[in-house]
Amino acid sequence: MTHPPTALLVPRSARAERRLWMLLALLFILVAGVNGIVALSEAQVWQGGLAGLSVLAAAGCGRVAQRIPEQF
């Protein structure tokens, strides 16, 4: 038995997608901040590296958010 496609309760517009990418970027920045604090307090180099990677991921998400056209 096949089922009809489920309807998403998320708006599908350029503005909504841009907000989603920016939210993802903010979450990466939050993770980077926490890892940066832990790296400084515990002198862990790998956590500093992880914080750097999180910053790069946040920059990538922000860049994608800005490249989304006004209209699909």
Side-chain angles (χ1 to χ4, degrees):
M1 179 173 167
T2 59
H3 295 283
T6 45
L8 293 176
L9 300 176
V10 192
R12 294 183 185 183
S13 66
R15 178 182 236 175
E17 187 174 349
R18 189 175 300 120
R19 285 181 181 170
L20 183 65
W21 279 106
M22 290 307 292
L23 177 66
L24 190 60
L26 289 174
L27 288 174
F28 273 117
I29 289 173
L30 178 67
V31 168
V34 169
N35 280 329
I37 290 171
V38 170
L40 290 175
S41 66
E42 295 182 3
Q44 296 290 327
V45 176
W46 67 272
Q47 293 221 328
L50 187 62
L53 289 175
S54 296
V55 168
L56 288 176
C61 290
R63 192 171 196 186
V64 168
Q66 289 184 352
R67 288 185 176 205
I68 295 175
E70 289 295 322
Q71 298 175 357
F72 279 144

